[in-house]
């Protein structure tokens, strides 16, 4: 009993140490964001906390020469647009990949997945040239379109497993009742994988929201996102680390709020199909 108790204490202590280690960067960013300018470099944990950094970042218009609020709105627009477009195209594609097998179908799926794993720097130069020629540089449409390389393979691959776990007999019964294949997909298959759609939408939104390379190269100001715009506070003779920390923490709010909003579906979606009969 004493040995088991000591083992439990050691495990719990290890978990606490790991928990502190994992959250320390977030805590340090919070400390930085609460520091005034005159105590930014000469203090560690003893300082006079203030919300001036958040007021400055969220003040609207151009603050310190950086229109952060506009970058924040840009991120919302392009991330939601990319996820919505990926769901519109990816859900039927995932359903078709789960229901119809043909020679080379697995190779086709692997090719699609390779778009997600390929380094973004390998395609950014040709994309930059094409975007300049097509007039898509620094536009919402251009950023939404390129983020499909991030969100589409994720949605198709994950949702294919959900549709594979569904019994085909349900759709076949609907077809016997006079449903078309499209209506059976919309009325029968989609409602059954709703938790999976919620989970994959959240993951796709996070990947689109956090993407850095594509907005860095393919935008300049009009469609720039928070991942790039937050670093603008580091420019100049004296970097504003407190403003950068405040901007980073504000940027983390939408994914967090979305995760809490769909938490019920998220838990079911991540565990859907984990146990097969």
């Amino acid at each position: 009993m004493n040995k088991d108790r000591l083992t439990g204490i050691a495990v719990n202590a290890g978990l606490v140490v790991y928990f502190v280690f994992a959250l320390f960067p977030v805590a340090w960013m919070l400390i930085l964001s609460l520091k005034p300018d005159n105590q930014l470099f000469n203090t560690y944990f003893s300082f006079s906390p203030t919300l001036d950094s958040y007021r400055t970042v969220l003040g609207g218009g151009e603050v310190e020469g950086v229109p952060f609020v506009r970058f924040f709105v840009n991120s919302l627009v392009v991330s939601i647009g990319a996820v919505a477009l990926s769901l519109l195209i990816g859900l039927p594609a995932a359903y078709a990949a789960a229901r119809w097998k043909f020679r080379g179908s697995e190779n086709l799926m692997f090719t699609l997945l390779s778009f997600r794993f390929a380094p973004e720097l390998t395609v950014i130069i040709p994309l930059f040239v094409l975007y300049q020629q097509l007039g898509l540089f620094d536009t919402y449409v251009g950023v939404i379109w390129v983020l499909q390389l991030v969100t589409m393979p994720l949605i198709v691959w994950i949702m294919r497993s959900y549709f594979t776990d569904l019994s085909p007999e349900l759709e076949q019964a609907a077809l016997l009742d006079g449903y078309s294949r499209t209506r059976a997909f919309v009325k029968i298959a989609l409602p059954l994988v709703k938790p999976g759609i919620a989970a994959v939408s959240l993951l796709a939104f996070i990947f689109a929201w956090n993407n850095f390379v594509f907005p860095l190269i393919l935008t300049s100001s009009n469609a720039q996102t928070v991942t790039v715009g937050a670093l603008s506070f580091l420019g100049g003779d004296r970097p504003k680390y407190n403003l950068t920390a405040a901007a980073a923490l504000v940027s983390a709010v939408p994914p967090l709020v979305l995760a809490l909003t769909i938490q019920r579906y998220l838990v079911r979606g991540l565990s859907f199909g984990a146990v097969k009969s």
Side-chain angles (χ1 to χ4, degrees), residues 95-219:
Y95 177 75
R99 289 291 180 260
W100 288 282
K101 302 294 183 182
F102 55 89
R103 179 177 296 180
S105 60
E106 291 300 322
N107 293 333
L108 180 62
M109 291 298 299
F110 181 79
T111 301
L112 179 64
L113 185 63
S114 66
F115 294 151
R116 177 67 189 89
F117 290 148
E120 296 170 350
L121 294 177
T122 60
V123 298
I124 196 63
I125 294 178
L127 281 176
F128 178 80
V129 175
L130 288 174
Y131 270 45
Q132 290 282 8
Q133 295 176 348
L134 297 176
L136 295 176
F137 180 80
D138 200 22
T139 62
Y140 285 150
V141 175
V143 180
I144 291 174
W145 187 257
V146 75
L147 287 179
Q148 304 306 304
L149 296 176
V150 178
T151 57
M152 182 74 72
L154 181 72
I155 288 176
V156 173
W157 264 88
I158 294 179
M159 291 308 302
R160 184 180 75 152
S161 64
Y162 288 109
F163 287 122
T164 301
D165 288 337
L166 289 181
S167 175
E169 284 77 9
L170 296 174
E171 298 148 44
Q172 293 173 2
L175 294 175
L176 291 175
D177 288 339
Y179 279 41
S180 63
R181 174 62 71 174
T182 301
R183 191 180 178 190
F185 167 68
V186 174
K187 296 291 185 179
I188 304 299
L190 283 184
L192 293 176
V193 297
K194 189 183 297 183
I197 295 175
V200 77
S201 298
L202 174 61
L203 293 176
F205 179 85
I206 292 175
F207 276 106
W209 181 272
N210 291 337
N211 190 267
F212 179 78
V213 175
F214 289 141
L216 175 66
I217 304 299
L218 300 179
T219 65

Side-chain angles (χ1 to χ4, degrees), residues 15 24 46 51 84 146 158 160 164 186 189 199 218 229 234 238 244 254:
L15 291 175
F24 181 77
S46 178
L51 296 177
V146 75
I158 294 179
R160 184 180 75 152
T164 301
V186 174
L218 300 179
L234 296 179
R238 187 173 182 179
T244 304

Side-chain angles (χ1 to χ4, degrees), residues 9 16 43 47 69 80 85 88 91 99 146 160 162 180 202-203 217 231 239 244 246 249 269:
I9 293 175
V16 170
T43 63
F47 60 92
V69 175
I80 294 175
L85 183 59
L88 182 64
L91 288 177
R99 289 291 180 260
V146 75
R160 184 180 75 152
Y162 288 109
S180 63
L202 174 61
L203 293 176
I217 304 299
L231 299 180
T244 304
L249 291 176

